[in-house]
Amino acid sequence: MNQTIQPHSSGWVTFTYASFAASAFLVALGVFFLPIDLWMKGYLTMGIVMLIQTCVTLTKTIRDNHESGKLVNRIEDAKAERLLMEVSKAG
């Protein structure tokens, strides 16, 4: 039951960073050229930054919960296997 975790390829990692940078740049450019007051641009920028921050936080929380669930499952599997080995030795 030994599962190896394959890391993402460098091409995929580069693509994700480039996609994030391009989308952030284009949104910033769009907000900059909106025909609205400066305080409204600031409000939109603040909202966008907070949205990005909460997306990162949510993604990390979901991943952490998933990883901890895998660890708990491995511990439970090890306990069950040890118990089965003890039962088989006793019988």
Coordinates of all heavy atoms in Angstrom, one line a residue:
M1 N 0.8 -1.2 0.0 CA 0.0 0.0 0.0 C 0.8 1.3 0.0 O 0.4 2.3 0.4 CB -0.8 0.0 1.3 CG -2.3 -0.2 1.0 SD -3.6 0.6 1.5 CE -4.6 -0.9 1.5
N2 N 2.1 1.1 -0.4 CA 3.0 2.3 -0.4 C 2.7 3.1 -1.7 O 3.0 2.6 -2.8 CB 4.4 1.8 -0.4 CG 5.4 2.9 -0.2 OD1 5.0 4.1 0.0 ND2 6.6 2.6 -0.3
Q3 N 2.1 4.2 -1.5 CA 1.8 5.1 -2.7 C 2.9 6.2 -2.8 O 3.2 6.8 -1.8 CB 0.5 5.8 -2.5 CG -0.7 4.8 -2.5 CD -2.0 5.6 -2.2 OE1 -2.0 6.7 -1.9 NE2 -3.1 4.9 -2.4
T4 N 3.4 6.3 -4.0 CA 4.4 7.3 -4.2 C 3.7 8.6 -4.7 O 2.8 8.5 -5.6 CB 5.5 6.9 -5.2 OG1 4.8 6.5 -6.5 CG2 6.3 5.7 -4.7
I5 N 4.1 9.7 -4.3 CA 3.5 11.0 -4.7 C 4.4 11.6 -5.8 O 5.6 11.8 -5.5 CB 3.4 11.9 -3.5 CG1 2.4 11.3 -2.4 CG2 2.8 13.3 -4.0 CD1 2.4 12.1 -1.2
Q6 N 3.8 11.7 -6.9 CA 4.6 12.3 -8.0 C 4.5 13.8 -8.0 O 3.4 14.4 -8.0 CB 4.1 11.8 -9.4 CG 4.4 10.3 -9.6 CD 3.9 9.9 -11.0 OE1 2.9 10.3 -11.5 NE2 4.8 9.1 -11.6
P7 N 5.6 14.5 -8.0 CA 5.6 16.0 -8.0 C 5.1 16.4 -9.4 O 5.2 15.7 -10.4 CB 7.0 16.4 -7.8 CG 7.8 15.2 -8.2 CD 7.0 14.0 -8.0
H8 N 4.6 17.7 -9.4 CA 4.2 18.3 -10.7 C 5.4 18.5 -11.6 O 6.5 18.8 -11.1 CB 3.5 19.6 -10.5 CG 2.2 19.4 -9.8 ND1 1.1 18.8 -10.3 CD2 1.7 19.9 -8.5 CE1 0.1 18.8 -9.5 NE2 0.4 19.5 -8.4
S9 N 5.2 18.4 -12.9 CA 6.3 18.7 -13.8 C 6.7 20.2 -13.7 O 5.8 21.0 -13.4 CB 5.9 18.3 -15.2 OG 4.9 19.2 -15.7
S10 N 7.9 20.5 -14.1 CA 8.3 21.9 -14.1 C 7.5 22.7 -15.1 O 7.3 23.9 -14.9 CB 9.8 22.0 -14.3 OG 10.1 21.5 -15.6
G11 N 7.1 22.1 -16.2 CA 6.3 22.8 -17.2 C 4.9 23.2 -16.6 O 4.5 24.3 -16.8
W12 N 4.3 22.3 -15.8 CA 3.0 22.6 -15.2 C 3.2 23.7 -14.2 O 2.4 24.6 -14.1 CB 2.4 21.4 -14.6 CG 1.2 21.7 -13.8 CD1 1.0 21.7 -12.5 CD2 -0.1 22.0 -14.4 NE1 -0.3 22.0 -12.2 CE2 -1.0 22.2 -13.4 CE3 -0.6 22.1 -15.7 CZ2 -2.3 22.6 -13.6 CZ3 -1.9 22.4 -15.9 CH2 -2.8 22.7 -14.9
V13 N 4.2 23.7 -13.3 CA 4.4 24.7 -12.3 C 4.7 26.0 -13.0 O 4.1 27.0 -12.6 CB 5.6 24.3 -11.4 CG1 6.0 25.4 -10.5 CG2 5.3 23.0 -10.6
T14 N 5.5 26.1 -14.0 CA 5.7 27.3 -14.8 C 4.4 27.8 -15.4 O 4.1 29.0 -15.3 CB 6.7 27.1 -15.9 OG1 7.9 26.6 -15.3 CG2 7.0 28.3 -16.7
F15 N 3.6 27.0 -15.9 CA 2.3 27.4 -16.5 C 1.4 28.0 -15.4 O 0.8 29.0 -15.7 CB 1.6 26.2 -17.2 CG 0.2 26.4 -17.6 CD1 0.0 27.2 -18.8 CD2 -0.9 26.0 -16.9 CE1 -1.3 27.4 -19.2 CE2 -2.1 26.2 -17.3 CZ -2.4 27.0 -18.4
T16 N 1.3 27.4 -14.3 CA 0.4 27.9 -13.2 C 0.9 29.3 -12.7 O 0.1 30.2 -12.5 CB 0.3 27.0 -12.0 OG1 1.6 26.7 -11.5 CG2 -0.3 25.6 -12.4
Y17 N 2.2 29.5 -12.6 CA 2.7 30.8 -12.2 C 2.5 31.8 -13.3 O 2.1 32.9 -13.0 CB 4.3 30.7 -11.9 CG 4.6 30.2 -10.5 CD1 5.0 28.9 -10.3 CD2 4.4 31.0 -9.4 CE1 5.3 28.4 -9.0 CE2 4.7 30.5 -8.1 CZ 5.2 29.2 -7.9 OH 5.4 28.7 -6.7
A18 N 2.7 31.4 -14.5 CA 2.5 32.4 -15.6 C 1.1 32.7 -15.7 O 0.7 33.9 -16.0 CB 3.0 31.8 -16.9
S19 N 0.2 31.8 -15.6 CA -1.3 32.0 -15.6 C -1.7 33.0 -14.5 O -2.5 33.9 -14.8 CB -2.1 30.7 -15.5 OG -1.8 29.9 -16.6
F20 N -1.2 32.8 -13.3 CA -1.6 33.6 -12.2 C -1.1 35.1 -12.5 O -1.8 36.0 -12.3 CB -1.0 33.1 -10.9 CG -1.3 34.0 -9.7 CD1 -2.5 34.1 -9.2 CD2 -0.3 34.9 -9.3 CE1 -2.8 35.0 -8.1 CE2 -0.6 35.8 -8.2 CZ -1.8 35.8 -7.7
A21 N 0.2 35.2 -12.9 CA 0.8 36.5 -13.2 C 0.0 37.2 -14.3 O -0.3 38.4 -14.2 CB 2.3 36.4 -13.5
A22 N -0.3 36.5 -15.3 CA -1.0 37.1 -16.5 C -2.4 37.6 -16.0 O -2.8 38.7 -16.4 CB -1.1 36.1 -17.6
S23 N -3.1 36.7 -15.3 CA -4.5 37.1 -14.9 C -4.4 38.3 -13.9 O -5.3 39.2 -14.0 CB -5.2 35.9 -14.3 OG -4.6 35.5 -13.1
A24 N -3.5 38.3 -13.0 CA -3.4 39.4 -12.0 C -3.0 40.7 -12.8 O -3.6 41.8 -12.5 CB -2.3 39.1 -11.0
F25 N -2.1 40.6 -13.7 CA -1.7 41.8 -14.5 C -2.9 42.3 -15.3 O -3.2 43.5 -15.3 CB -0.6 41.5 -15.4 CG -0.2 42.6 -16.4 CD1 0.5 43.7 -15.9 CD2 -0.6 42.5 -17.7 CE1 0.8 44.7 -16.8 CE2 -0.2 43.5 -18.6 CZ 0.4 44.6 -18.1
L26 N -3.7 41.4 -16.0 CA -4.8 41.9 -16.8 C -5.9 42.5 -15.9 O -6.5 43.5 -16.4 CB -5.3 40.7 -17.7 CG -4.3 40.3 -18.7 CD1 -4.8 39.0 -19.4 CD2 -4.1 41.4 -19.8
V27 N -6.2 41.9 -14.8 CA -7.2 42.5 -13.9 C -6.7 43.9 -13.4 O -7.5 44.8 -13.4 CB -7.5 41.5 -12.7 CG1 -8.3 42.2 -11.7 CG2 -8.3 40.3 -13.2
A28 N -5.5 44.0 -13.0 CA -4.9 45.3 -12.6 C -5.0 46.3 -13.7 O -5.4 47.4 -13.4 CB -3.5 45.1 -12.1
L29 N -4.7 45.9 -14.9 CA -4.8 46.8 -16.0 C -6.2 47.2 -16.3 O -6.5 48.4 -16.5 CB -4.2 46.1 -17.3 CG -3.9 46.9 -18.5 CD1 -2.8 47.9 -18.2 CD2 -3.5 46.0 -19.7
G30 N -7.1 46.3 -16.2 CA -8.6 46.6 -16.3 C -9.0 47.6 -15.3 O -9.8 48.5 -15.6
V31 N -8.7 47.4 -14.0 CA -9.1 48.3 -13.0 C -8.5 49.7 -13.2 O -9.1 50.7 -13.0 CB -8.7 47.7 -11.6 CG1 -8.9 48.7 -10.5 CG2 -9.5 46.5 -11.3
F32 N -7.2 49.7 -13.6 CA -6.5 51.0 -13.8 C -7.2 51.8 -14.9 O -7.4 53.0 -14.7 CB -5.0 50.7 -14.2 CG -4.3 51.9 -14.5 CD1 -3.8 52.7 -13.4 CD2 -4.0 52.3 -15.8 CE1 -3.1 53.9 -13.7 CE2 -3.3 53.5 -16.1 CZ -2.8 54.3 -15.0
F33 N -7.7 51.2 -15.9 CA -8.3 51.9 -17.0 C -9.8 52.1 -16.9 O -10.5 52.7 -17.8 CB -8.0 51.3 -18.4 CG -6.6 51.5 -18.8 CD1 -5.6 50.5 -18.9 CD2 -6.2 52.8 -19.2 CE1 -4.3 50.8 -19.3 CE2 -4.9 53.1 -19.6 CZ -4.0 52.1 -19.6
L34 N -10.4 51.6 -15.8 CA -11.8 51.9 -15.6 C -12.1 53.4 -15.4 O -11.3 54.0 -14.7 CB -12.3 51.1 -14.3 CG -12.6 49.7 -14.4 CD1 -13.0 49.1 -13.1 CD2 -13.8 49.4 -15.4
P35 N -13.2 53.8 -16.0 CA -13.5 55.3 -15.9 C -14.2 55.6 -14.6 O -15.4 56.0 -14.6 CB -14.3 55.5 -17.1 CG -15.0 54.2 -17.4 CD -14.0 53.2 -17.0
I36 N -13.6 55.3 -13.5 CA -14.2 55.5 -12.2 C -13.2 56.3 -11.3 O -12.0 56.4 -11.6 CB -14.6 54.2 -11.5 CG1 -13.5 53.2 -11.4 CG2 -15.8 53.6 -12.2 CD1 -13.8 51.9 -10.6
D37 N -13.7 56.8 -10.1 CA -12.9 57.5 -9.2 C -11.8 56.6 -8.6 O -11.9 55.4 -8.6 CB -13.7 58.1 -8.1 CG -14.7 59.1 -8.5 OD1 -14.4 59.8 -9.6 OD2 -15.7 59.3 -7.8
L38 N -10.7 57.3 -8.1 CA -9.6 56.5 -7.5 C -10.0 55.7 -6.3 O -9.6 54.6 -6.2 CB -8.5 57.5 -7.1 CG -7.2 56.9 -6.7 CD1 -6.6 56.1 -7.8 CD2 -6.2 58.0 -6.3
W39 N -10.9 56.2 -5.5 CA -11.3 55.4 -4.3 C -12.1 54.2 -4.7 O -12.0 53.2 -4.0 CB -12.1 56.3 -3.3 CG -13.5 56.7 -3.8 CD1 -13.8 57.8 -4.5 CD2 -14.7 56.0 -3.6 NE1 -15.2 57.8 -4.8 CE2 -15.7 56.7 -4.2 CE3 -15.0 54.8 -3.0 CZ2 -17.1 56.3 -4.3 CZ3 -16.3 54.4 -3.0 CH2 -17.3 55.1 -3.6
M40 N -12.8 54.2 -5.8 CA -13.5 53.1 -6.3 C -12.5 52.0 -6.8 O -12.7 50.8 -6.6 CB -14.5 53.5 -7.4 CG -15.7 54.3 -6.8 SD -16.7 54.9 -8.2 CE -17.9 53.6 -8.2
K41 N -11.5 52.5 -7.5 CA -10.5 51.6 -8.0 C -9.8 50.9 -6.8 O -9.5 49.7 -6.8 CB -9.4 52.4 -8.8 CG -10.0 52.8 -10.2 CD -8.9 53.6 -10.9 CE -9.5 54.1 -12.2 NZ -8.5 54.8 -13.1
G42 N -9.5 51.7 -5.7 CA -8.9 51.2 -4.5 C -9.8 50.1 -3.9 O -9.3 49.1 -3.4
Y43 N -11.1 50.3 -3.9 CA -12.0 49.4 -3.3 C -12.0 48.1 -4.1 O -12.0 47.0 -3.5 CB -13.4 50.0 -3.2 CG -14.4 49.0 -2.6 CD1 -14.5 48.9 -1.2 CD2 -15.3 48.3 -3.4 CE1 -15.4 48.0 -0.6 CE2 -16.2 47.5 -2.8 CZ -16.3 47.3 -1.4 OH -17.2 46.5 -0.9
L44 N -12.1 48.2 -5.4 CA -12.0 47.0 -6.3 C -10.7 46.3 -6.1 O -10.7 45.0 -6.0 CB -12.2 47.4 -7.8 CG -13.6 47.8 -8.2 CD1 -13.5 48.3 -9.7 CD2 -14.5 46.5 -8.1
T45 N -9.6 47.0 -6.0 CA -8.3 46.3 -5.8 C -8.3 45.6 -4.5 O -7.8 44.5 -4.4 CB -7.2 47.4 -5.9 OG1 -7.3 48.0 -7.2 CG2 -5.8 46.8 -5.8
M46 N -8.8 46.2 -3.4 CA -8.8 45.6 -2.1 C -9.6 44.3 -2.2 O -9.2 43.3 -1.6 CB -9.4 46.6 -1.1 CG -9.4 46.0 0.3 SD -10.3 47.1 1.4 CE -12.0 47.1 0.8
G47 N -10.7 44.4 -2.8 CA -11.6 43.2 -2.9 C -10.9 42.1 -3.7 O -11.0 40.9 -3.3
I48 N -10.2 42.4 -4.8 CA -9.5 41.4 -5.6 C -8.4 40.8 -4.8 O -8.2 39.6 -4.8 CB -9.0 42.0 -6.9 CG1 -10.2 42.4 -7.8 CG2 -8.1 41.1 -7.6 CD1 -9.9 43.3 -9.0
V49 N -7.6 41.6 -4.1 CA -6.5 41.1 -3.3 C -7.1 40.1 -2.2 O -6.5 39.1 -1.9 CB -5.7 42.2 -2.7 CG1 -4.7 41.7 -1.6 CG2 -4.9 42.9 -3.8
M50 N -8.2 40.6 -1.5 CA -8.7 39.7 -0.5 C -9.3 38.4 -1.1 O -9.2 37.4 -0.4 CB -9.8 40.5 0.3 CG -9.3 41.6 1.1 SD -10.5 42.6 2.0 CE -11.1 41.4 3.2
L51 N -9.9 38.5 -2.2 CA -10.4 37.3 -2.9 C -9.3 36.3 -3.2 O -9.4 35.1 -2.9 CB -11.1 37.6 -4.2 CG -11.7 36.5 -5.0 CD1 -12.8 35.7 -4.1 CD2 -12.3 37.0 -6.3
I52 N -8.1 36.8 -3.7 CA -7.0 35.9 -4.0 C -6.5 35.3 -2.7 O -6.2 34.1 -2.6 CB -5.9 36.7 -4.7 CG1 -6.3 37.1 -6.1 CG2 -4.6 35.9 -4.7 CD1 -5.4 38.1 -6.8
Q53 N -6.4 36.1 -1.6 CA -5.9 35.6 -0.4 C -6.8 34.5 0.2 O -6.3 33.5 0.7 CB -5.7 36.8 0.6 CG -5.1 36.4 2.0 CD -6.1 36.1 3.0 OE1 -7.2 36.6 3.0 NE2 -5.8 35.2 3.9
T54 N -8.1 34.7 0.1 CA -9.0 33.7 0.7 C -9.0 32.5 -0.2 O -9.1 31.4 0.3 CB -10.4 34.3 0.8 OG1 -10.9 34.8 -0.4 CG2 -10.5 35.3 1.9
C55 N -8.8 32.6 -1.5 CA -8.7 31.4 -2.4 C -7.4 30.6 -2.0 O -7.5 29.3 -1.9 CB -8.6 31.8 -3.8 SG -10.1 32.4 -4.5
V56 N -6.3 31.2 -1.8 CA -5.1 30.5 -1.3 C -5.3 29.9 0.0 O -5.0 28.7 0.2 CB -3.9 31.5 -1.3 CG1 -2.7 30.9 -0.6 CG2 -3.6 32.0 -2.7
T57 N -5.9 30.6 1.0 CA -6.2 30.0 2.3 C -7.1 28.8 2.2 O -6.9 27.8 2.8 CB -6.8 31.1 3.2 OG1 -5.9 32.2 3.2 CG2 -7.0 30.6 4.6
L58 N -8.2 28.9 1.4 CA -9.1 27.8 1.3 C -8.5 26.6 0.6 O -8.6 25.5 1.1 CB -10.3 28.3 0.5 CG -11.4 27.2 0.2 CD1 -12.0 26.7 1.5 CD2 -12.4 27.8 -0.8
T59 N -7.7 26.8 -0.4 CA -7.0 25.7 -1.1 C -6.0 25.0 -0.1 O -6.0 23.8 -0.1 CB -6.2 26.3 -2.3 OG1 -7.1 26.9 -3.2 CG2 -5.5 25.2 -3.0
K60 N -5.3 25.8 0.7 CA -4.4 25.2 1.6 C -5.1 24.4 2.7 O -4.7 23.3 3.0 CB -3.5 26.2 2.3 CG -2.4 25.6 3.2 CD -1.6 26.7 3.9 CE -0.6 26.1 4.9 NZ -0.9 24.9 5.5
T61 N -6.2 24.9 3.2 CA -7.0 24.2 4.2 C -7.6 22.9 3.7 O -7.5 21.9 4.3 CB -8.1 25.1 4.7 OG1 -7.6 26.3 5.2 CG2 -9.0 24.5 5.8
I62 N -8.1 22.9 2.5 CA -8.6 21.7 1.8 C -7.5 20.7 1.7 O -7.7 19.5 2.0 CB -9.3 22.0 0.5 CG1 -10.6 22.8 0.8 CG2 -9.6 20.8 -0.3 CD1 -11.2 23.4 -0.5
R63 N -6.4 21.1 1.2 CA -5.2 20.2 1.0 C -4.8 19.7 2.3 O -4.5 18.5 2.4 CB -4.1 21.0 0.3 CG -2.8 20.2 0.2 CD -2.4 19.8 -1.1 NE -1.2 19.1 -1.1 CZ -0.9 18.3 -2.1 NH1 -1.6 18.3 -3.2 NH2 0.2 17.6 -2.0
D64 N -4.6 20.5 3.3 CA -4.2 20.1 4.7 C -5.2 19.0 5.2 O -4.7 18.0 5.8 CB -4.0 21.2 5.6 CG -2.9 22.1 5.3 OD1 -2.0 21.7 4.5 OD2 -2.8 23.2 5.9
N65 N -6.5 19.3 5.1 CA -7.5 18.3 5.6 C -7.3 17.0 4.8 O -7.4 15.9 5.4 CB -8.9 18.9 5.5 CG -9.2 19.9 6.5 OD1 -8.5 20.0 7.5 ND2 -10.2 20.7 6.2
H66 N -7.1 17.0 3.5 CA -7.0 15.8 2.7 C -5.7 15.1 3.2 O -5.8 13.8 3.3 CB -6.9 16.2 1.3 CG -6.6 15.0 0.4 ND1 -7.6 14.1 0.1 CD2 -5.5 14.7 -0.3 CE1 -7.1 13.2 -0.7 NE2 -5.9 13.5 -1.0
E67 N -4.6 15.8 3.3 CA -3.4 15.1 3.7 C -3.5 14.5 5.1 O -3.0 13.4 5.4 CB -2.2 16.1 3.7 CG -1.8 16.6 2.3 CD -1.3 15.4 1.4 OE1 -0.5 14.6 2.0 OE2 -1.6 15.4 0.2
S68 N -4.1 15.2 6.1 CA -4.2 14.7 7.4 C -5.1 13.4 7.4 O -4.9 12.5 8.2 CB -4.7 15.7 8.4 OG -6.1 16.0 8.1
G69 N -6.1 13.4 6.6 CA -7.0 12.3 6.4 C -6.2 11.1 5.9 O -6.5 9.9 6.4
K70 N -5.3 11.3 5.0 CA -4.5 10.2 4.5 C -3.6 9.7 5.6 O -3.4 8.5 5.7 CB -3.7 10.7 3.3 CG -4.5 10.9 2.1 CD -3.8 11.3 0.8 CE -2.3 11.4 0.8 NZ -1.8 11.9 -0.5
L71 N -3.0 10.5 6.4 CA -2.2 10.1 7.5 C -3.0 9.3 8.5 O -2.5 8.2 9.0 CB -1.5 11.3 8.2 CG -0.6 11.0 9.4 CD1 0.5 10.1 9.0 CD2 -0.1 12.3 10.1
V72 N -4.2 9.8 8.9 CA -5.0 9.0 9.8 C -5.3 7.7 9.3 O -5.3 6.7 10.0 CB -6.3 9.9 10.1 CG1 -7.3 9.0 10.9 CG2 -5.9 11.1 11.0
N73 N -5.7 7.6 8.0 CA -6.0 6.3 7.3 C -4.8 5.4 7.4 O -4.9 4.2 7.6 CB -6.4 6.5 5.9 CG -7.8 7.1 5.8 OD1 -8.6 7.0 6.8 ND2 -8.1 7.7 4.7
R74 N -3.6 5.9 7.2 CA -2.4 5.0 7.2 C -2.1 4.5 8.6 O -1.8 3.4 8.8 CB -1.1 5.8 6.7 CG -1.1 6.0 5.2 CD 0.3 6.4 4.8 NE 0.7 7.6 5.4 CZ 1.0 8.8 4.8 NH1 1.0 8.8 3.6 NH2 1.4 9.8 5.5
I75 N -2.4 5.4 9.6 CA -2.2 4.9 11.0 C -3.2 3.9 11.3 O -2.9 2.8 11.9 CB -2.3 6.1 12.0 CG1 -1.1 7.1 11.8 CG2 -2.5 5.7 13.4 CD1 -1.3 8.4 12.5
E76 N -4.5 4.1 10.9 CA -5.5 3.1 11.2 C -5.2 1.8 10.4 O -5.4 0.7 11.0 CB -6.9 3.6 10.7 CG -7.4 4.7 11.6 CD -7.6 4.3 13.1 OE1 -8.0 3.2 13.3 OE2 -7.3 5.2 13.9
D77 N -4.7 1.8 9.2 CA -4.3 0.6 8.5 C -3.2 -0.1 9.2 O -3.2 -1.3 9.2 CB -3.9 1.0 7.0 CG -5.1 1.4 6.2 OD1 -6.3 1.2 6.6 OD2 -4.9 2.0 5.1
A78 N -2.2 0.6 9.7 CA -1.1 0.0 10.4 C -1.6 -0.7 11.6 O -1.2 -1.8 12.0 CB 0.0 1.0 10.7
K79 N -2.5 0.0 12.4 CA -3.1 -0.7 13.6 C -3.8 -1.9 13.2 O -3.7 -3.0 13.9 CB -4.0 0.3 14.3 CG -3.3 1.4 15.0 CD -4.3 2.4 15.7 CE -3.6 3.5 16.4 NZ -4.6 4.4 17.0
A80 N -4.6 -1.9 12.2 CA -5.4 -3.0 11.8 C -4.5 -4.2 11.4 O -4.7 -5.3 11.7 CB -6.4 -2.7 10.7
E81 N -3.5 -3.9 10.6 CA -2.5 -4.9 10.1 C -1.8 -5.5 11.3 O -1.6 -6.7 11.4 CB -1.6 -4.3 9.1 CG -0.7 -5.4 8.5 CD -0.1 -4.9 7.2 OE1 -0.6 -3.9 6.6 OE2 1.0 -5.4 6.9
R82 N -1.4 -4.7 12.3 CA -0.7 -5.2 13.5 C -1.6 -6.2 14.2 O -1.2 -7.2 14.7 CB -0.2 -4.1 14.3 CG 0.6 -4.6 15.5 CD 1.1 -3.5 16.4 NE 0.0 -2.8 16.9 CZ 0.0 -1.6 17.6 NH1 1.2 -1.0 17.7 NH2 -1.0 -1.0 18.0
L83 N -2.9 -5.8 14.4 CA -3.9 -6.6 15.1 C -4.1 -7.9 14.3 O -4.1 -9.0 15.0 CB -5.2 -5.8 15.2 CG -6.3 -6.5 15.9 CD1 -5.9 -6.8 17.4 CD2 -7.6 -5.7 15.9
L84 N -4.2 -7.9 13.0 CA -4.3 -9.1 12.3 C -3.1 -10.0 12.4 O -3.3 -11.2 12.5 CB -4.6 -8.7 10.8 CG -6.0 -8.2 10.5 CD1 -6.0 -7.7 9.0 CD2 -7.1 -9.2 10.8
M85 N -1.9 -9.4 12.4 CA -0.7 -10.2 12.6 C -0.7 -10.9 13.9 O -0.3 -12.1 14.1 CB 0.5 -9.4 12.4 CG 0.8 -9.0 10.9 SD 2.2 -7.9 10.7 CE 3.5 -9.0 11.2
E86 N -1.1 -10.2 15.0 CA -1.2 -10.8 16.3 C -2.2 -11.9 16.4 O -1.9 -12.9 17.0 CB -1.5 -9.7 17.4 CG -0.4 -8.7 17.6 CD -0.8 -7.5 18.5 OE1 -1.9 -7.5 19.0 OE2 0.0 -6.6 18.6
V87 N -3.3 -11.7 15.7 CA -4.4 -12.7 15.7 C -3.9 -14.0 15.0 O -4.1 -15.1 15.4 CB -5.7 -12.2 15.1 CG1 -6.7 -13.3 14.9 CG2 -6.3 -11.1 16.1
S88 N -3.2 -13.7 13.8 CA -2.8 -14.9 13.0 C -1.6 -15.6 13.8 O -1.5 -16.9 13.6 CB -2.3 -14.4 11.7 OG -1.2 -13.6 11.7
K89 N -0.8 -14.9 14.5 CA 0.3 -15.6 15.3 C -0.3 -16.4 16.4 O 0.2 -17.5 16.8 CB 1.2 -14.6 15.8 CG 2.2 -14.0 14.8 CD 3.1 -13.0 15.4 CE 4.0 -12.4 14.4 NZ 4.9 -11.4 14.9
A90 N -1.4 -15.9 17.0 CA -2.0 -16.6 18.2 C -2.8 -17.8 17.7 O -3.0 -18.7 18.5 CB -2.9 -15.6 18.9
G91 N -3.2 -17.8 16.5 CA -4.1 -18.9 16.0 C -3.3 -20.1 15.5 O -2.8 -21.0 15.7

